[in-house]
Amino acid sequence: MAIHVLAVHRDTVGTEQAAGGSLTAAYSVGVFCWLLSAGVYIAAKWVSSEMPPWALCFWRVLIAWAILMPIVYRHFGAMVALVRARGLELLAIGGVGLGVCQGLIFVGLEHADATTAGIIIALIPIITMILARFILAEPMGRWQVIGSILAFLGIVVIIVKGSPAALLRLDLNPGELWIVAGAFCFSLYTVLLRRAKFDLNRLALLVLLLGAAVLTALPFYLSELVSDERSTLNASGLIALGYVAIPGGAVMYYLFNRSIEALGAARAGVLLYIQTIFIAMLAYLFLGEQLQRYHLEGAALIVAGLLLIILLKPTTRAEATKA
């Protein structure tokens, strides 16, 4: 799902390959990838009353892992060596970013609409920037702080549905809070992955992280088998699972990996914002959801915050010296 920008440390490929090949084709792959990812939110919301969230999470990452594993067979030796050397680190990072993150979002979609989830997920780059400031000591200037505050206010507007009285009454939708928690987990995953700098092929690393997500989601899934009466898969559950695991899982992960190779991580990652638009469109077409005024007000604040962060980057000491 989205939620799955593989923010690895290598970003040297991309511009050169895109210049030699077709930028149009590369961007088309990236856009199609986020369309498939947006469909995951729709499928998860559609089946939320019939299929428990951790079952959907567990089977999604397991099936995606099983499909992608044979593709990276040439890297098995390096993968085994990395697991032996840094297995616990892989488990923690993959578990948080591709396991817990997805599970929390699926839990949230039981109570929140998909349109709201899509807007909240657009907050990920901002949370990532804030965490990078504290964990990686990356620079964060005055405009980045202001932009972050604006984006945070946008999320507050959406969660309270444009009514300050709802905040005073603590009349909040728990689903939206779970989705915010999921966005935080993915942002933490992105920063930790950037710090880890695993020396491994990008797709092979993704397969290892998916394996970590499988192990992390398993205890939650087993708990559901005991306590949730929805644990038996029905026809709707199988259809939703088939989509989120294959087109919205393995295929989406693979295409995003290809878009990173062609465009570079920075360019490919910017396309994440298209996912929010796709989710709103698909939610209207398939779920009958309507954009509310508070959606637009919150989204406007988030976009304003993002523009401040993207367009007014902080000046590093080196740049200041040259100036």
Tab-separated table of all heavy atoms in Angstrom, residues 156-177:
chain	number	residue	atom	x	y	z
A	156	VAL	N	-5.713	17.854	12.167
A	156	VAL	CA	-6.652	18.122	13.270
A	156	VAL	C	-8.029	18.481	12.709
A	156	VAL	O	-9.059	17.991	13.188
A	156	VAL	CB	-6.124	19.243	14.188
A	156	VAL	CG1	-7.197	19.655	15.196
A	156	VAL	CG2	-4.866	18.791	14.907
A	157	VAL	N	-8.052	19.333	11.678
A	157	VAL	CA	-9.324	19.723	11.060
A	157	VAL	C	-10.074	18.498	10.557
A	157	VAL	O	-11.298	18.368	10.739
A	157	VAL	CB	-9.072	20.715	9.896
A	157	VAL	CG1	-10.331	20.887	9.046
A	157	VAL	CG2	-8.626	22.060	10.439
A	158	ILE	N	-9.352	17.573	9.937
A	158	ILE	CA	-10.002	16.368	9.402
A	158	ILE	C	-10.506	15.473	10.529
A	158	ILE	O	-11.636	14.967	10.488
A	158	ILE	CB	-9.020	15.607	8.496
A	158	ILE	CG1	-8.752	16.420	7.225
A	158	ILE	CG2	-9.565	14.223	8.134
A	158	ILE	CD1	-7.632	15.888	6.378
A	159	ILE	N	-9.684	15.290	11.560
A	159	ILE	CA	-10.062	14.382	12.648
A	159	ILE	C	-11.276	14.903	13.421
A	159	ILE	O	-12.147	14.123	13.821
A	159	ILE	CB	-8.856	14.159	13.587
A	159	ILE	CG1	-7.797	13.295	12.873
A	159	ILE	CG2	-9.299	13.470	14.877
A	159	ILE	CD1	-6.540	13.079	13.666
A	160	VAL	N	-11.348	16.236	13.606
A	160	VAL	CA	-12.504	16.790	14.342
A	160	VAL	C	-13.636	17.167	13.387
A	160	VAL	O	-14.638	17.741	13.800
A	160	VAL	CB	-12.102	18.014	15.193
A	160	VAL	CG1	-11.000	17.654	16.171
A	160	VAL	CG2	-11.684	19.196	14.317
A	161	LYS	N	-13.442	16.851	12.096
A	161	LYS	CA	-14.463	17.114	11.070
A	161	LYS	C	-14.858	18.593	11.021
A	161	LYS	O	-16.038	18.937	10.856
A	161	LYS	CB	-15.687	16.228	11.286
A	161	LYS	CG	-15.371	14.753	11.099
A	161	LYS	CD	-16.568	13.879	11.315
A	161	LYS	CE	-16.279	12.444	10.893
A	161	LYS	NZ	-15.059	11.875	11.467
A	162	GLY	N	-13.856	19.445	11.173
A	162	GLY	CA	-14.081	20.866	11.060
A	162	GLY	C	-14.781	21.503	12.244
A	162	GLY	O	-15.130	22.685	12.201
A	163	SER	N	-14.974	20.745	13.334
A	163	SER	CA	-15.702	21.272	14.491
A	163	SER	C	-14.793	21.314	15.715
A	163	SER	O	-14.496	20.264	16.310
A	163	SER	CB	-16.923	20.400	14.786
A	163	SER	OG	-17.505	20.740	16.022
A	164	PRO	N	-14.340	22.509	16.132
A	164	PRO	CA	-13.495	22.604	17.337
A	164	PRO	C	-14.194	22.038	18.573
A	164	PRO	O	-13.541	21.531	19.487
A	164	PRO	CB	-13.254	24.114	17.478
A	164	PRO	CG	-13.472	24.673	16.108
A	164	PRO	CD	-14.532	23.815	15.490
A	165	ALA	N	-15.526	22.105	18.597
A	165	ALA	CA	-16.275	21.584	19.750
A	165	ALA	C	-16.045	20.085	19.911
A	165	ALA	O	-16.019	19.564	21.032
A	165	ALA	CB	-17.766	21.864	19.575
A	166	ALA	N	-15.848	19.386	18.778
A	166	ALA	CA	-15.606	17.941	18.852
A	166	ALA	C	-14.304	17.651	19.580
A	166	ALA	O	-14.187	16.665	20.310
A	166	ALA	CB	-15.569	17.343	17.446
A	167	LEU	N	-13.309	18.542	19.392
A	167	LEU	CA	-12.024	18.366	20.079
A	167	LEU	C	-12.186	18.603	21.573
A	167	LEU	O	-11.634	17.867	22.398
A	167	LEU	CB	-11.000	19.342	19.496
A	167	LEU	CG	-9.563	19.207	19.999
A	167	LEU	CD1	-9.017	17.817	19.727
A	167	LEU	CD2	-8.679	20.261	19.356
A	168	LEU	N	-12.973	19.612	21.932
A	168	LEU	CA	-13.195	19.904	23.355
A	168	LEU	C	-13.958	18.779	24.036
A	168	LEU	O	-13.741	18.478	25.204
A	168	LEU	CB	-13.952	21.228	23.499
A	168	LEU	CG	-13.199	22.482	23.012
A	168	LEU	CD1	-14.103	23.715	23.097
A	168	LEU	CD2	-11.938	22.687	23.827
A	169	ARG	N	-14.856	18.133	23.290
A	169	ARG	CA	-15.632	17.011	23.851
A	169	ARG	C	-14.881	15.692	23.752
A	169	ARG	O	-15.365	14.669	24.213
A	169	ARG	CB	-16.957	16.863	23.098
A	169	ARG	CG	-17.897	18.039	23.208
A	169	ARG	CD	-19.285	17.652	22.682
A	169	ARG	NE	-19.214	17.050	21.348
A	169	ARG	CZ	-19.363	17.733	20.218
A	169	ARG	NH1	-19.564	19.046	20.258
A	169	ARG	NH2	-19.298	17.133	19.053
A	170	LEU	N	-13.687	15.743	23.097
A	170	LEU	CA	-12.922	14.522	22.805
A	170	LEU	C	-13.764	13.532	22.009
A	170	LEU	O	-13.654	12.316	22.174
A	170	LEU	CB	-12.410	13.870	24.100
A	170	LEU	CG	-11.366	14.676	24.877
A	170	LEU	CD1	-10.946	13.936	26.136
A	170	LEU	CD2	-10.154	14.987	24.009
A	171	ASP	N	-14.610	14.103	21.126
A	171	ASP	CA	-15.467	13.274	20.280
A	171	ASP	C	-14.714	12.976	18.980
A	171	ASP	O	-14.957	13.569	17.935
A	171	ASP	CB	-16.773	14.025	20.000
A	171	ASP	CG	-17.747	13.189	19.184
A	171	ASP	OD1	-17.531	11.968	19.103
A	171	ASP	OD2	-18.707	13.757	18.628
A	172	LEU	N	-13.750	12.061	19.081
A	172	LEU	CA	-12.856	11.777	17.965
A	172	LEU	C	-13.128	10.386	17.408
A	172	LEU	O	-13.554	9.485	18.134
A	172	LEU	CB	-11.394	11.875	18.420
A	172	LEU	CG	-11.000	13.162	19.143
A	172	LEU	CD1	-9.552	13.082	19.590
A	172	LEU	CD2	-11.220	14.372	18.244
A	173	ASN	N	-12.866	10.232	16.123
A	173	ASN	CA	-13.021	8.928	15.485
A	173	ASN	C	-11.753	8.110	15.757
A	173	ASN	O	-10.670	8.478	15.292
A	173	ASN	CB	-13.218	9.116	13.975
A	173	ASN	CG	-13.471	7.805	13.256
A	173	ASN	OD1	-13.049	6.737	13.689
A	173	ASN	ND2	-14.176	7.879	12.141
A	174	PRO	N	-11.851	6.998	16.486
A	174	PRO	CA	-10.638	6.221	16.792
A	174	PRO	C	-9.954	5.681	15.544
A	174	PRO	O	-8.735	5.516	15.524
A	174	PRO	CB	-11.159	5.087	17.685
A	174	PRO	CG	-12.619	4.986	17.368
A	174	PRO	CD	-13.057	6.380	17.043
A	175	GLY	N	-10.736	5.436	14.492
A	175	GLY	CA	-10.144	4.929	13.255
A	175	GLY	C	-9.132	5.878	12.666
A	175	GLY	O	-8.060	5.474	12.199
A	176	GLU	N	-9.450	7.177	12.700
A	176	GLU	CA	-8.535	8.166	12.145
A	176	GLU	C	-7.258	8.264	12.977
A	176	GLU	O	-6.169	8.485	12.442
A	176	GLU	CB	-9.258	9.514	12.056
A	176	GLU	CG	-10.369	9.479	11.003
A	176	GLU	CD	-11.366	10.611	11.150
A	176	GLU	OE1	-11.192	11.443	12.060
A	176	GLU	OE2	-12.320	10.653	10.356
A	177	LEU	N	-7.388	8.077	14.289
A	177	LEU	CA	-6.197	8.080	15.143
A	177	LEU	C	-5.311	6.875	14.853
A	177	LEU	O	-4.077	6.980	14.865
A	177	LEU	CB	-6.619	8.109	16.614
A	177	LEU	CG	-7.428	9.332	17.057
A	177	LEU	CD1	-7.822	9.209	18.527
A	177	LEU	CD2	-6.637	10.618	16.820
